[in-house]
Amino acid sequence: MSIIETVEAEGSEAVSLHQRILSDISEKILSGAWAPGHRIPFEHELTAEYKCSRMTVNKALSQLAKAGLIERRRRSGSFVRRPQSQAAVLEIHDIRIEVEALGLPYRYQRLERLQRRSSAEDRMLLELATSGPVLALEGLHFAGRRPFAHERRLINLAAVAEAGEEEFLDIAAGPWLIGRVPWSEAEHRIRAIAADDHIADALDIEPGAPCLVVERRTWSAEHPVTHVRFTYPAESHTLVARFRPSQG
Amino acid sequence: MSIIETVEAEGSEAVSLHQRILSDISEKILSGAWAPGHRIPFEHELTAEYKCSRMTVNKALSQLAKAGLIERRRRSGSFVRRPQSQAAVLEIHDIRIEVEALGLPYRYQRLERLQRRSSAEDRMLLELATSGPVLALEGLHFAGRRPFAHERRLINLAAVAEAGEEEFLDIAAGPWLIGRVPWSEAEHRIRAIAADDHIADALDIEPGAPCLVVERRTWSAEHPVTHVRFTYPAESHTLVARFRPSQG
DNA sequence: ATGGCTATTATGTATATACATATTGAGACG
DNA sequence: CGTCTCAATATGTATATACATAATAGCCAT
């Protein structure tokens, strides 16, 4: 009897063998058919099963290993890993996109613009070692007539000198920076706060009302570029993060 | 002359060629040396530069393409992509781990446990099509003597029948579920709320105080498994998400 | 028994090769 | 002048092969 009959599963539209091996195995793991700790077949066994070379199998398994689904041990084989910590991919979009996705007209309005030597607080926010020129901005993002988010931003002018010439009157610094400065790393901090008087006034909500705060620090090739703090009124905003075990 | 001189660059600790190509190119892109739109050298050029086979170069470039740093076009070459939307990886740990990382003793305490047929609300939360048995749990996570987080959970007993036999008196359902049920997909929603009387009472904070809410829905092989809502007092909790352009 | 040596085994990395496929550019032709 | 065809080109996928490396199992000598 033939071990495999290359069954052309209905609906299979010319996926590569490599993809097929990958999804077959992911499926077995995620469905629970192969529990954590289970030893998955050796490369040479899969080679026989899929009638392909070891390189092809190896590529698929290496990918699964990098994705964290399996763990490979020399001489012993490959094993299904137990889920570690929940890792979710959080997409943080441009606020304009978010607002327009709601079908509302978007507008940005600058509240303040200040160029100065970095204060101690600035340096802490930017994780800057030495003092230097920074640009401090404050502005509001509107969805229709209502304030959608408040933005408070610091830009390290040592890293982005051209920003010093920009007014940022009705364009937000975010989109301006993207495309101009390649960013290599970013850190987000997400938390809840009670609106202080200043924020409450800007967002037209009650002082003390809960707000979602997203802070982002961005580096480009080791240099701090910008620190920004978005404050959203609680009702207006939910962040959605999805986890789907990576595979191909 | 020798075709290859295996130059052991100082500080290079036996990384594979593949890794070296990968990090070289990432570095060029992330430092801005190669701006978005820039055409990176053809495979055969890199082959010459690194004195290696096309397969090795190809593997590295394919990986960069999957990571989203470059875009590959047949006949035209490979190009640096412009940054799309900010995607951050959010790690959501077990609460016990978080608490213990703070150096505080951890404790879980059940507040309520109720087994019932799913209500309309339950079905909405679980995204369940048909009615069936569910387990509703409510509990508190303590850091030392202070409440650290409030948990409200629904478990779909059709998917995890054994959960019906568990009391969950002093162990949280999260760790119990992990390891028992392989989960293939999860969705997180993060937002800020004002504490209602019930939450305020449980967490020992003022009604109306801002809280961070993390909701998670989990599926295993298409079947809804559980929906959980964690509520953290604002002071106690900040989510940190990091983006680092994936590479090897 | 205990320690150390060796052969075996599975994975890790790289090569040369082959053919498929999408896209483009140039030249032929109406 | 448009468009049609064909060859050239860069990437996509797969193969067979080779040698390196890490871990283990078994054996042997002390």
Side-chain angles (χ1 to χ4, degrees), chain A residues 18 27 29-33 36 55 58-59 62-63 66 82-94 178-179 181-194 208-212 216 218-221 232 234-235 237-245 248, chain B residues 18 27 29-33 36 55 58-59 62-63 66 82-94 178-179 181-194 208-212 216 218-221 232 234-235 237-245 248:
Chain A
H18 161 245
E27 209 281 328
I29 295 174
L30 297 175
S31 71
M55 275 305 297
N58 179 285
K59 219 174 144 190
S62 302
Q63 202 168 320
K66 182 146 10 124
R82 67 191 64 256
Q84 313 279 87
S85 66
Q86 301 251 15
V89 175
L90 185 67
E91 297 230 6
I92 298 196
H93 296 102
D94 193 333
I178 283 196
V181 185
W183 49 282
S184 56
E185 198 175 337
E187 185 194 84
H188 296 89
R189 307 190 92 86
I190 299 154
R191 57 187 212 276
I193 61 156
C211 295
L212 189 68
R216 172 159 67 230
T218 312
W219 290 264
S220 175
Y232 303 88
E235 328 79 60
H237 215 70
T238 301
L239 291 171
V240 178
R242 266 195 169 267
F243 174 90
R244 180 188 290 276
Chain B
H18 162 245
E27 208 282 329
I29 295 175
L30 297 175
S31 71
M55 274 308 295
N58 179 284
K59 219 175 143 188
S62 302
Q63 202 168 320
K66 182 146 13 134
R82 66 192 64 257
Q84 313 279 87
S85 67
Q86 300 251 15
V89 175
L90 186 68
E91 296 230 6
I92 299 194
H93 296 103
D94 193 334
I178 282 195
V181 185
W183 49 282
S184 55
E185 198 174 338
E187 185 194 84
H188 297 88
R189 307 190 92 87
I190 300 154
R191 56 188 213 276
I193 61 155
C211 295
L212 189 68
R216 173 159 66 231
T218 312
W219 290 263
S220 174
Y232 304 87
E235 327 82 60
H237 214 70
T238 300
L239 291 172
V240 177
R242 257 186 180 272
F243 173 90
R244 180 188 290 274

Side-chain angles (χ1 to χ4, degrees), chain B residues 60-128:
Chain B
L61 292 189
S62 302
Q63 202 168 320
L64 282 172
K66 182 146 13 134
L69 274 190
I70 68 174
E71 182 188 343
R72 315 199 70 193
R73 285 201 290 275
R74 283 175 159 150
R75 167 69 217 242
S76 312
S78 304
F79 300 82
V80 178
R81 292 218 320 181
R82 66 192 64 257
Q84 313 279 87
S85 67
Q86 300 251 15
V89 175
L90 186 68
E91 296 230 6
I92 299 194
H93 296 103
D94 193 334
I95 296 183
R96 147 169 261 131
I97 311 286
E98 291 186 68
V99 168
E100 288 173 349
L102 296 172
L104 291 169
Y106 169 81
R107 184 168 61 88
Y108 175 77
Q109 185 191 325
R110 191 186 81 188
L111 295 180
E112 199 171 320
R113 180 188 187 284
L114 212 73
Q115 195 164 340
R116 60 168 182 250
R117 280 198 79 72
S118 57
S119 68
E121 191 197 347
D122 294 345
R123 287 200 295 281
M124 201 194 61
L125 289 176
L126 282 172
E127 285 197 354
L128 214 52

Side-chain angles (χ1 to χ4, degrees), chain A residues 66 77 79 159 166 169 172 197 225 243:
Chain A
K66 182 146 10 124
F79 300 84
E166 277 287 330
L169 245 184
D197 290 346
V225 173
F243 174 90

